[in-house]
Amino acid sequence: MKVLITGGYGFIGSHVADRFHKEGHDIYIIDNLSTGKKENITFKHKGYILSVEDSKCAEIFRSNKFDIVVHLAAQVSVAHSVAQPTVDAESNVLGLVNMLNLSAEHHVKKFIYASSAAVYGLQEQLPITEDAHCSPISPYGISKLSGELYSSKWEELYGLSTLGLRFSNVYGPRQDGLGEGGVISIFMNRMIAEQPLLVYGDGEQTRDFIYVEDVAYAIYRGANSYQSGIYNLSVNQQTSVNRIISVLGEIQPLKEVVYTEKRVGDIDHSVLDNTRVMRDFDWSPLYTIEEGLKRTAHSFIQQSAEQQTAASAGAVLKSPMQIKLQEGFKRLLPSIENIVAFLLTAWLTLTYANSSYGAIDVKLFYITIIGILYGNRQAILAVVLSSGLYVYQKLLDGRDIISLTYDTDFFFQIAIYLFIGLVVGYSIERKNTIIQQQEQKVSEVNERYEFLENVYTEVREVKDELQLRILNSGDSYGKIYAATKELESLEPEQVFNAAVTVVKSIMHVPKVTIYTVNPQQSYLRLLASSGYSLDTLPKSLKVSDHHYLTMILQTGEIYINRQLEDSIPLMVAPIMHKDRIAAVIAIDGLTFESFSLYHQNLFRITVDLISSALSKAFTYIDATESQRYMEGSTLLQADIFQEILNSKIQAFDQHQVPFLLLKAELSNITLIEAAMHVSSKLRETDYVGLNKNNEMLVLLSNTSIEDSNPILQRLAHASIELRAVREE
């Protein structure tokens, strides 16, 4: 999907972008960088430095056809909203309406936006549910509530699916000191700087703090749900400021904690009810306040160390005072140059007053030159200075001030100075104004041209890339779609079986094998295969006997058999689960022309797809483990065992992978005791379970009837009789 995130370079937005990127989506960002930082995003994406209320946003929507819009760009400071409510409304209301309009116009599938607990105002009943009466006490809360009303009306009028999330106090890495959760980031910065922590009140006031990665995951879950409307997003737990200080003290010794008077308007306790979002999104917060603070502190400490390193390497920045002095000097420079020119004029006038050069009025040249260089303001100053010099000349000639007031020649000369100053200054000022207007128009046209050129270039790149993929991949889109559907199972056995089909289909290879890796990563067990005769394919591999397996398990990278060694597959890749290698998949039999970088990348993408599907299956199994087994035993429930058996039958039908099904007859032994005995002697790829008649069955992977004798001897027990009931 194409996902547009406004405010994507900011605190919450960058984490949301990380989440969608990790899930394989294309990320686009609109951010004016008022609080965001481009370095918050390190992966490949497309970013636009714009405000969300800018009309040029229409070009972005027109060019990209977004599936999801996550609107997080906002003015987040309550104090700033009180000081400048118009700026708050411009960003939080006008920007939201612009995004709503464009999303409806361009048929966006879902519009997700950030609201806030500030819409509730003061509430006595805790925890606060979504049905509570909203009565915001700040312009920030009012703008957020207005956004909810606009979004609801756009859903009603235009059918745009809108989802609003009322955040509680969000905290985590990349946060600054602004916003509703800023107390933690302020504490972090002061802790690292070894400064006292300042607490307003007794520190027993509580808030509902939620870690930013939990917020990002909830937004991702919301984007993939059919839900709309308003939801609280919180952990539904109250945490006091003193508790935060206590946890921070465990992370790093604190210099001092200073308690001062409670601020006017601060509420004592706040907590949001998250029952609805947990139920409808199938979401729950993963991070406790202790875990979240530790991760946040680690990030802040690392960032501080990097800044200190940069400073010690010679990064010199001008202080605010230096910047102000420099700007002040630039403003005074024309006046200083004017005075210097006047002093030169005065010297020439007084020095050569009685010479033949004295007939030339240097002051007229001075006024004209200053007017041409600096415009009207400095020309008027030159007129004033020249008039003063003219009066001084008359006084030196023996005239007095009173007699000058009756001298028409005197006033005529002053009028000439004023006329020249005004005409020249006004003409130059008007010319400069016209030039500035034209330059501004040219700048706007160039800016728009550059913007449209970037959009055009991006569209061309995407078009060329799609054409290249179509030429190189043939009907790969249909195959990848089919592969995605085949890998949607929540049973690992079915995922592995489907993986063989997927790899053969996408890579056009005749031979595929999948081996599982034991927990010690010392042995590999054959799980699924296609294209090999069963006699030649080893059912287990010792890692230390094969250098390429050792390399894969050590590095986690794909192995390419560039030396074309006979006993090694052409490509072997690890299948990851929770940062460990759960299995390896190998392909062989590629044609020489297909042994290329393109096919290596295609194999990598295919394996990543399989890893993702397998991780989801393992996660599901971990979550439902108590329901998969008979209570207090290692026996799989009948329905779960039947699903695994069906996948083995399917693997045999498609790839001739053998399996052996044994039925147990028990005497003087319970099911649980029998299961414990058999399970302890099985491989990782074998299963023990029940059938619908509550009889114990044993399913042996990659095992034929010829292999049964040594296995039956290994599983032998006086009270357990095992016999093959199905062998394929």
Side-chain angles (χ1 to χ4, degrees):
M1 293 190 302
K2 287 187 174 183
V3 181
L4 171 66
I5 303 172
T6 69
Y9 292 129
F11 162 46
I12 299 177
S14 61
H15 287 278
V16 173
D18 285 342
R19 166 55 63 179
F20 277 96
H21 174 69
K22 288 176 182 176
E23 298 294 338
H25 303 296
D26 298 326
I27 304 301
Y28 298 76
I29 289 173
I30 293 178
D31 199 312
N32 64 1
L33 298 181
S34 58
T35 57
K37 301 175 183 177
K38 293 191 75 172
E39 55 265 28
N40 284 342
I41 301 296
T42 57
F43 55 82
K44 183 180 179 182
H45 69 285
K46 182 61 180 176
Y48 302 92
I49 310 304
L50 285 174
S51 295
V52 287
E53 61 270 18
D54 198 308
S55 60
K56 289 197 286 291
C57 292
E59 300 288 350
I60 300 172
F61 275 79
R62 191 176 297 116
S63 303
N64 293 292
K65 304 297 181 185
F66 300 116
D67 299 294
I68 303 291
V69 172
V70 181
H71 179 58
L72 300 173
Q75 190 289 120
V76 296
S77 171
V78 174
H80 188 71
S81 76
V82 175
Q84 293 184 300
T86 54
V87 176
D88 180 80
E90 182 178 346
S91 176
N92 292 0
V93 179
L94 296 182
L96 175 87
V97 172
N98 191 33
M99 291 296 105
L100 282 171
N101 261 335
L102 293 172
S103 297
E105 181 182 345
H106 294 279
H107 309 291
V108 169
K109 296 176 183 177
K110 176 158 277 188
F111 183 87
I112 303 174
Y113 63 98
S115 187
S116 169
V119 301
Y120 292 118
L122 300 175
Q123 298 283 338
E124 295 181 359
Q125 186 67 35
L126 299 178
I128 306 171
T129 66
E130 289 88 347
D131 299 325
H133 175 68
C134 294
S135 181
I137 59 176
S138 67
Y140 172 74
I142 294 171
S143 67
K144 287 297 184 180
L145 184 58
S146 300
E148 293 182 4
L149 297 175
Y150 272 107
S151 300
S152 175
K153 186 56 65 175
W154 252 247
E155 183 162 12
E156 178 184 331
L157 294 176
Y158 306 111
L160 174 65
S161 178
T162 63
L163 175 62
L165 300 173
R166 291 172 177 167
F167 296 161
S168 61
N169 299 69
V170 186
Y171 72 97
R174 308 172 194 164
Q175 187 181 26
D176 57 21
L178 300 176
E180 298 169 318
V183 62
I184 290 180
S185 61
I186 292 172
F187 280 178
M188 291 287 180
N189 288 326
R190 297 186 73 85
M191 178 184 74
I192 294 171
E194 297 184 353
Q195 297 174 347
L197 303 188
L198 184 61
V199 180
Y200 296 99
D202 59 5
E204 289 305 310
Q205 59 267 41
T206 61
R207 295 293 184 269
D208 191 343
F209 293 101
I210 182 170
Y211 189 61
V212 66
E213 290 189 19
D214 282 332
V215 172
Y217 186 56
I219 291 174
Y220 172 75
R221 295 291 298 175
N224 288 279
S225 73
Y226 295 101
Q227 307 299 331
S228 62
I230 301 295
Y231 288 85
N232 287 338
L233 185 55
S234 69
V235 298
N236 199 6
Q237 290 181 1
Q238 298 185 61
T239 302
S240 70
V241 175
N242 286 336
R243 175 60 182 151
I244 292 173
I245 293 172
S246 174
V247 175
L248 292 181
E250 296 173 2
I251 297 172
Q252 180 174 309
L254 302 178
K255 182 180 180 66
E256 185 183 2
V257 180
V258 178
Y259 292 88
T260 185
E261 293 183 4
K262 178 182 175 183
R263 291 183 296 193
V264 178
D266 278 359
I267 59 177
D268 291 328
H269 303 288
S270 175
V271 60
L272 302 184
D273 189 324
N274 65 2
T275 304
R276 189 181 295 180
V277 72
M278 290 181 66
R279 180 192 65 220
D280 292 355
F281 288 11
D282 190 23
W283 168 90
S284 62
L286 297 179
Y287 297 94
T288 64
I289 189 68
E290 292 80 10
E291 293 169 340
L293 288 175
K294 287 178 182 178
R295 292 167 68 92
T296 305
H298 175 74
S299 173
F300 272 71
I301 291 170
Q302 183 178 11
Q303 182 181 2
S304 176
E306 291 173 355
Q307 291 174 348
Q308 291 177 2
T309 302
S312 63
V316 179
L317 299 176
K318 292 182 179 179
S319 67
M321 181 60 70
Q322 289 175 315
I323 295 173
K324 287 182 180 179
L325 289 173
Q326 188 176 11
E327 291 176 352
F329 179 75
K330 286 182 179 179
R331 286 195 298 268
L332 291 174
L333 185 60
S335 298
I336 294 172
E337 292 180 347
N338 192 347
I339 292 172
V340 171
F342 169 72
L343 294 175
L344 177 61
T345 301
W347 176 74
L348 291 172
T349 300
L350 298 176
T351 302
Y352 298 99
N354 299 320
S355 68
S356 58
Y357 298 106
I360 301 174
D361 194 345
V362 183
K363 295 185 287 298
L364 293 176
F365 290 100
Y366 159 63
I367 294 171
T368 303
I369 292 171
I370 292 297
I372 292 173
L373 291 176
Y374 299 113
N376 201 37
R377 181 177 299 179
Q378 295 300 325
I380 294 299
L381 177 60
V383 169
V384 172
L385 294 174
S386 297
S387 299
L389 179 60
Y390 184 61
V391 171
Y392 180 69
Q393 282 182 277
K394 292 298 182 183
L395 294 176
L396 289 179
D397 291 339
R399 303 288 297 274
D400 56 65
I401 296 295
I402 295 176
S403 66
L404 290 177
T405 59
Y406 298 100
D407 191 344
T408 55
D409 291 338
F410 171 76
F411 284 106
F412 180 75
Q413 189 67 27
I414 297 297
I416 290 175
Y417 292 158
L418 185 60
F419 175 76
I420 292 175
L422 289 175
V423 170
V424 175
Y426 173 76
S427 300
I428 296 300
E429 199 75 32
R430 188 170 182 275
K431 182 202 72 171
N432 291 339
T433 301
I434 293 173
I435 290 174
Q436 288 177 358
Q437 291 174 347
Q438 294 299 324
E439 288 177 346
Q440 184 176 359
K441 288 181 180 179
V442 170
S443 175
E444 290 175 355
V445 171
N446 286 337
E447 182 182 353
R448 182 172 177 80
Y449 172 77
E450 183 179 356
F451 176 78
L452 292 175
E453 186 181 33
N454 289 337
V455 172
Y456 171 76
T457 302
E458 179 187 356
V459 172
R460 288 291 306 177
E461 289 175 352
V462 172
K463 177 177 177 291
D464 293 341
E465 183 179 353
L466 288 175
Q467 286 180 336
L468 185 62
R469 287 184 180 180
I470 291 171
L471 289 173
N472 288 338
S473 305
D475 57 347
S476 63
Y477 290 106
K479 289 182 178 178
I480 291 175
Y481 173 78
T484 305
K485 301 298 290 183
E486 286 190 45
L487 293 170
E488 282 182 349
S489 173
L490 293 176
E491 188 59 53
E493 283 288 339
Q494 294 179 4
V495 173
F496 281 125
N497 185 43
V500 175
T501 303
V502 167
V503 172
K504 288 188 68 174
S505 175
I506 293 178
M507 298 298 300
H508 300 288
V509 292
K511 297 179 179 180
V512 179
T513 55
I514 298 180
Y515 284 84
T516 59
V517 181
N518 70 342
Q520 295 76 30
Q521 296 198 337
S522 56
Y523 276 90
L524 275 64
R525 306 279 187 188
L526 180 64
L527 184 67
S529 65
S530 180
Y532 290 90
S533 64
L534 298 177
D535 304 339
T536 60
L537 198 61
K539 295 183 179 180
S540 64
L541 296 172
K542 188 176 181 181
V543 173
S544 59
D545 292 342
H546 304 275
H547 68 88
Y548 70 97
L549 293 177
T550 303
M551 189 204 74
I552 291 172
L553 293 176
Q554 288 177 348
T555 65
E557 298 291 333
I558 291 180
Y559 178 83
I560 308 298
N561 183 8
R562 293 186 174 86
Q563 305 300 322
L564 301 180
E565 299 179 53
D566 291 336
S567 58
I568 300 176
L570 286 178
M571 297 185 193
V572 187
I575 299 176
M576 307 298 296
H577 172 60
K578 288 186 176 179
D579 297 326
R580 68 172 295 271
I581 299 175
V584 295
I585 185 166
I587 61 174
D588 211 349
L590 273 174
T591 59
F592 180 79
E593 54 270 21
S594 297
F595 194 54
S596 64
L597 182 61
Y598 168 78
H599 284 82
Q600 294 174 23
N601 291 331
L602 185 61
F603 184 48
R604 181 178 288 105
I605 292 170
T606 305
V607 172
D608 287 344
L609 186 67
I610 295 169
S611 295
S612 177
L614 186 64
S615 290
K616 291 176 182 177
F618 279 134
T619 302
Y620 171 77
I621 286 178
D622 292 342
T624 60
E625 186 172 4
S626 61
Q627 303 170 16
R628 290 174 62 85
Y629 295 95
M630 178 180 171
E631 187 175 356
S633 75
T634 57
L635 279 165
L636 289 167
Q637 297 282 9
D639 55 342
I640 303 298
F641 189 86
Q642 187 61 47
E643 282 187 30
I644 298 174
L645 179 59
N646 291 340
S647 69
K648 294 296 184 184
I649 295 173
Q650 184 181 13
F652 176 80
D653 293 338
Q654 293 179 346
H655 310 299
Q656 289 71 54
V657 179
F659 69 91
L660 185 62
L661 183 63
L662 305 176
K663 183 177 179 181
E665 299 288 342
L666 308 181
S667 60
N668 301 322
I669 190 172
T670 65
L671 273 172
I672 295 177
E673 291 172 343
M676 289 179 61
H677 167 74
V678 173
S679 298
S680 65
K681 299 181 180 297
L682 293 180
R683 302 164 297 183
E684 297 88 355
T685 54
D686 301 330
Y687 302 89
V688 182
L690 299 172
N691 63 11
K692 60 183 179 180
N693 298 321
N694 265 357
E695 297 172 314
M696 190 175 86
L697 299 176
V698 181
L699 180 59
L700 304 174
S701 303
N702 284 289
T703 305
S704 60
I705 194 66
E706 290 78 13
D707 302 319
S708 61
N709 288 333
I711 295 174
L712 291 174
Q713 291 176 9
R714 187 172 75 244
L715 301 179
H717 188 280
S719 301
I720 304 174
E721 180 181 354
L722 294 169
R723 59 184 179 85
V725 293
R726 172 165 180 158
E727 178 270 332
E728 298 289 355

